[in-house]
């Protein structure tokens, strides 16, 4: 519920700070006093209307858990206070509007998504109360009250529906794959054959490039090495000369022998280089193609293993499809069986739903309301679809007054069967253009709904002020600045008298208003 609202610089309110109460709150006042602007400000703070004030700040308490709201899902960190969340929602408008929850910025879209969990605005032909899902939710609540097996069956159906949907997706994926299975198998086999034929070995390309380099300089190396050995042989005379002169030539001779050994070993390597140039170049070309496509010999071998595994999977896909088809058939049969059970249980409870709906519709001076239950393809809640009619008229041809009174009747049925619908209900002159009896019926139903809902309603007729918990007067003062005041009993009588008799109050009107209020308080 909203506990406090602050409005700064709106078309009607220069500065307004108001503490609000649970239950049935009614705003009255002369036309143009700013009542609708006040409700507009509330809705704008939640992103449901465009802001018309520089600042709107709302303090509220909500049981987020029971409403199914997780603020973290919307990027807002929440702190729990007992079982309730105390939130501050605000909209700040300068050049652009900026929205906040607990001083954390949030987009208008996300804020309005959160608000739709607990705010119902009845002014135009919108809302979901006359839509299939909402009506089915009420029918199920009524059925669950009478039949303890209903909700376990419904939960079993929902789980089966989910499994059936996932199985269908998996089967479609296999069928899509199967359309291209031969191409996929051919491609996998082609790559397997290609890599297997070449049989790359890790590091082979690098070794062959080394061999190619050696082969390219083989003749020049051998010629140079033979010439060097001949020149080393000619150094024997230098060795003998040093001996005859008595000069120590040990190191000289050792170095010459070491050099000769290196040259002879290198020459031997090149003489034993048994490589066919054409075969070498062909092999290098094959490996170069492998490396270009896969990155390396190791990567090619990994890809080979992967393709071999894929080929096995492709060969087993027919078996997998048969298993899924069997599972899909079993789930389809179970889904159909559960849906038919739910269908029959709902059929049995539908007359009671219609009876309750008409109980409230009668108070609103509406014609008879009927509900038609039809079947459709299985979906999240079964195979049932509900269609609502006022006499023979479909909801899309109803007047705004009829449509909104039907919504109120549906909300009352939901409240009476304890569907845990709670929140804030905002109504902007819902009793406009209604007869006295119709307006009284609306007021009585709002009084009934004020237990689960905090209600804010604007009215120019006396019935809502007579039945409400708190009555606020919206007045326009100097400079067209409006104020809102919570009325005491005496002020309330005066305002009700004005609504009955007009601006010219007399003692008779005041006495009549006091009598009506006293009668209501006693009842």
């Amino acid at each position: 519920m909203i506990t406090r609202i602050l409005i700064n610089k709106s078309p009607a309110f220069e500065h307004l700070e108001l503490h609000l109460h649970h239950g049935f709150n009614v705003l009255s006042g002369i036309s143009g006093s700013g009542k609708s602007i006040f409700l507009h400000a509330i809705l704008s703070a939640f992103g449901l209307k465009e802001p018309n004030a520089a600042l709107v700040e709302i303090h509220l308490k909500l049981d987020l858990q029971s409403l199914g709201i997780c603020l973290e899902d919307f990027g807002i960190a929440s702190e729990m206070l007992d079982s309730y969340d105390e939130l501050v929602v605000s909209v700040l408008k300068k050049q652009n509007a900026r929205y906040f929850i607990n001083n954390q910025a949030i987009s208008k879209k996300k804020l309005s998504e959160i608000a739709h969990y607990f705010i119902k605005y009845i002014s135009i032909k919108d809302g979901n109360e006359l839509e299939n899902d909402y009506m089915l939710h009420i029918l199920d609540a009524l059925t669950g009250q009478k039949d303890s097996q209903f909700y376990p069956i419904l939960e079993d159906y929902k789980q089966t529906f989910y499994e059936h949907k996932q199985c269908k997706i998996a089967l479609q994926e296999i069928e899509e794959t199967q359309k291209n299975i031969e191409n996929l198998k051919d491609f996998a086999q082609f790559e397997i054959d290609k890599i297997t034929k070449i049989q790359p070995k890790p590091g082979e390309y690098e070794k062959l490039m080394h061999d190619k380099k050696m082969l390219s300089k083989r003749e020049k190396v051998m010629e140079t090495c033979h010439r060097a050995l001949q020149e080393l042989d000619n150094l024997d005379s230098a060795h003998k000369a040093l001996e005859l002169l008595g000069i120590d030539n040990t190191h000289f001779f050792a170095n010459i022998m070491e050099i000769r050994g290196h040259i002879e070993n290198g020459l031997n390597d090149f003489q034993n280089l048994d490589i066919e140039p054409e075969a070498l170049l062909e092999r290098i070309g094959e490996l170069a193609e492998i490396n270009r496509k896969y990155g390396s010999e190791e990567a090619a071998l990994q890809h080979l293993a992967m393709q071999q595994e894929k080929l096995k999977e492709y060969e087993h896909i027919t078996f997998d499809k048969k298993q899924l088809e069997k599972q899909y058939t079993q789930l389809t049969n179970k889904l159909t069986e559960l849906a038919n059970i739910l269908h029959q249980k709902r059929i049995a409870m539908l007359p009671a739903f219609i009876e309750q709906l008409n109980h409230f519709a009668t108070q609103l001076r509406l014609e008879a309301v009927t509900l038609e239950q039809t079947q459709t393809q299985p979906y999240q809640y079964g195979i049932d679809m509900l269609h609502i009619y006022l006499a023979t008229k479909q909801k899309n041809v109803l007047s705004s007054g009829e449509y909104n009174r039907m919504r109120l009747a549906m909300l009352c049925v939901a409240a009476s069967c304890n569907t845990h619908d709670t929140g804030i209900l905002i109504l902007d002159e819902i009793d406009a253009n209604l007869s006295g009896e119709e307006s009284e019926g609306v007021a009585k139903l709002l009084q009934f709904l004020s237990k689960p809902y905090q209600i804010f309603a604007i009215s120019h007729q006396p019935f809502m002020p007579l039945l409400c918990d708190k009555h606020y007067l919206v007045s326009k003062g100097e400079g067209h600045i409006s104020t809102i005041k919570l009325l005491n009993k005496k002020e309330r009588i005066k305002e009700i008298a004005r609504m009955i008799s007009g601006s010219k109050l007399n003692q008779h009107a005041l006495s009549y208003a006091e009598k009506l209020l006293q009668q209501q308080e006693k009842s």
Side-chain angles (χ1 to χ4, degrees):
M1 60 167 281
I2 298 174
T3 58
R4 173 182 172 271
I5 183 170
L6 173 69
I7 304 173
N8 267 343
K9 296 182 179 178
S10 78
F13 306 100
E14 179 64 24
H15 177 82
L16 173 69
E17 183 175 2
L18 197 63
H19 293 271
L20 299 168
H21 304 270
H22 184 70
F24 188 5
N25 299 277
V26 170
L27 293 92
S28 67
I30 63 173
S31 297
S33 60
K35 301 181 295 297
S36 294
I37 292 175
F38 176 74
L39 295 189
H40 186 109
I42 294 176
L43 294 167
S44 71
F46 294 99
L48 301 174
K49 290 276 190 180
E50 290 300 318
N52 59 7
L55 170 67
V56 180
E57 181 179 282
I58 290 177
H59 293 240
L60 68 159
K61 287 186 176 182
L62 291 174
D63 189 345
L64 295 178
Q65 186 175 0
S66 68
L67 289 168
I69 302 173
C70 178
L71 289 180
E72 285 81 358
D73 293 343
F74 297 90
I76 298 295
S78 63
E79 294 182 2
M80 301 296 291
L81 296 175
D82 298 324
S83 63
Y84 282 83
D85 291 289
E86 293 187 351
L87 304 179
V88 178
V89 179
S90 56
V91 56
L92 182 64
K93 183 181 179 183
K94 292 184 179 177
Q95 291 182 339
N96 299 311
R98 298 175 62 199
Y99 298 87
F100 302 88
I101 292 183
N102 288 0
N103 295 319
Q104 299 179 60
I106 186 171
S107 70
K108 179 182 178 182
K109 183 173 183 287
K110 286 185 177 180
L111 181 59
S112 63
E113 287 174 3
I114 294 172
H116 276 114
Y117 279 88
F118 59 90
I119 290 183
K120 295 183 184 296
Y121 175 49
I122 298 183
S123 176
I124 55 176
K125 291 171 69 173
D126 61 356
N128 67 341
E129 293 83 10
L130 304 185
E131 299 299 324
N132 171 73
D133 287 1
Y134 190 86
M135 294 190 294
L136 202 62
H137 172 61
I138 298 174
L139 179 58
D140 288 351
L142 290 168
T143 308
Q145 287 178 348
K146 299 290 184 181
D147 187 344
S148 60
Q149 295 180 342
F150 180 80
Y151 274 117
I153 295 171
L154 180 59
E155 290 306 311
D156 192 9
Y157 172 87
K158 289 180 180 179
Q159 180 62 32
T160 304
F161 177 78
Y162 173 78
E163 292 173 4
H164 183 268
K165 183 178 179 180
Q166 295 303 114
C167 185
K168 184 177 181 180
I169 292 171
L171 196 55
Q172 288 173 339
E173 288 175 352
I174 282 185
E175 289 173 347
E176 190 63 32
T177 303
Q178 202 171 36
K179 290 179 183 178
N180 303 313
I181 195 71
E182 291 306 319
N183 290 335
L184 292 170
K185 286 172 69 175
D186 289 345
F187 180 73
Q189 191 63 58
F190 169 77
E191 292 209 311
I192 290 169
D193 292 343
K194 182 176 181 179
I195 298 172
T196 303
K197 181 180 178 182
I198 295 175
Q199 293 184 328
K201 300 177 181 62
E204 183 184 2
Y205 180 76
E206 187 177 346
K207 180 180 177 301
L208 291 181
M209 289 300 292
H210 174 72
D211 290 347
K212 179 186 175 186
K213 186 176 181 181
M214 291 191 60
L215 189 63
S216 67
K217 61 181 182 178
R218 177 170 146 177
E219 290 184 9
K220 185 175 182 180
V221 167
M222 291 183 67
E223 180 185 346
T224 304
C225 285
H226 282 301
R227 192 184 308 120
L229 289 173
Q230 289 173 0
E231 292 177 357
L232 288 173
D233 288 340
N234 293 331
L235 291 177
D236 285 346
S237 58
H239 170 60
K240 290 176 182 179
L242 291 171
E243 276 187 340
L244 290 173
L245 293 171
I247 299 172
D248 182 13
N249 63 358
T250 305
H251 292 296
F252 174 76
F253 182 70
N255 289 334
I256 294 299
M257 293 304 293
E258 185 180 355
I259 292 170
R260 178 183 287 277
H262 286 309
I263 293 174
E264 287 177 345
N265 288 337
L267 186 59
N268 188 57
D269 288 342
F270 276 92
Q271 285 175 336
N272 293 328
L273 194 61
D274 186 18
I275 298 174
E276 280 289 336
E278 291 183 3
L280 175 66
L281 292 175
E282 182 179 352
R283 183 64 176 170
I284 287 174
E286 291 175 341
L287 292 173
E289 177 64 19
I290 286 287
N291 289 345
R292 183 192 65 78
K293 187 168 184 180
Y294 303 107
S296 67
E297 296 96 319
E298 291 88 342
L301 292 171
Q302 290 173 0
H303 188 75
L304 172 64
M306 183 181 71
Q307 291 297 85
Q308 289 170 334
E309 190 63 34
K310 278 188 176 181
L311 195 58
K312 289 180 184 177
E313 291 176 6
Y314 296 150
E315 289 168 352
H316 284 87
I317 197 167
T318 302
F319 173 77
D320 293 340
K321 183 184 177 185
K322 287 181 179 178
Q323 291 294 102
L324 274 174
E325 286 175 336
K326 182 180 178 181
Q327 182 185 1
Y328 184 75
T329 300
Q330 291 172 343
L331 288 170
T332 300
N333 292 336
K334 183 179 179 182
L335 196 68
T336 302
E337 180 184 353
L338 292 171
N340 286 328
I341 294 173
L342 294 173
H343 177 66
Q344 292 302 321
K345 290 181 179 294
R346 286 165 173 164
I347 285 177
M349 187 53 60
L350 189 63
F353 185 10
I354 296 172
E355 183 181 354
Q356 286 204 35
L357 194 55
N358 276 291
H359 168 72
F360 293 108
T362 300
Q363 295 183 54
L364 294 170
R365 302 300 186 267
L366 288 169
E367 297 178 85
V369 179
T370 57
L371 290 170
E372 180 186 6
Q373 183 177 352
T374 61
Q375 293 188 45
T376 185
Q377 292 298 315
Y379 69 110
Q380 183 180 0
Y381 303 115
I383 56 173
D384 298 297
M385 295 291 291
L386 293 180
H387 311 274
I388 191 166
Y389 299 88
L390 183 61
T392 59
K393 295 184 288 187
Q394 295 182 357
K395 63 184 179 185
N396 59 317
V397 299
L398 299 177
S399 69
S400 294
E402 291 172 327
Y403 189 92
N404 286 325
R405 280 183 285 157
M406 290 264 283
R407 290 174 68 185
L408 279 182
M410 193 66 69
L411 285 171
C412 288
V413 178
S416 65
C417 65
N418 192 26
T419 59
H420 304 292
D421 279 8
T422 59
I424 299 165
L425 186 58
I426 296 175
L427 307 101
D428 190 351
E429 296 191 45
I430 191 173
D431 57 358
N433 302 317
L434 298 184
S435 69
E437 287 185 340
E438 291 169 340
S439 298
E440 185 179 12
V442 169
K444 287 181 177 178
L445 262 59
L446 290 178
Q447 186 183 43
F448 175 76
L449 286 171
S450 65
K451 294 184 178 77
Y453 289 96
Q454 181 185 31
I455 298 175
F456 296 98
I458 293 174
S459 180
H460 289 283
Q461 300 203 43
F463 300 101
M464 287 191 196
L466 284 169
L467 297 173
C468 70
D469 299 307
K470 301 293 179 181
H471 186 180
Y472 295 87
L473 178 63
V474 185
S475 305
K476 183 172 288 188
E478 295 181 4
H480 301 287
I481 301 302
S482 296
T483 59
I484 298 181
K485 180 183 179 181
L486 176 61
L487 301 181
N488 58 33
K489 185 175 180 179
K490 185 177 180 180
E491 293 166 333
R492 190 173 171 186
I493 291 170
K494 183 178 178 181
E495 175 62 8
I496 293 171
R498 182 196 66 78
M499 298 172 80
I500 294 171
S501 65
S503 59
K504 293 183 179 180
L505 292 181
N506 54 51
Q507 189 58 44
H508 176 74
L510 290 168
S511 298
Y512 182 60
E514 183 177 9
K515 181 180 178 182
L516 290 175
L517 190 58
Q518 287 174 346
Q519 289 175 347
Q520 182 55 43
E521 289 174 346
K522 289 179 181 179
S523 64

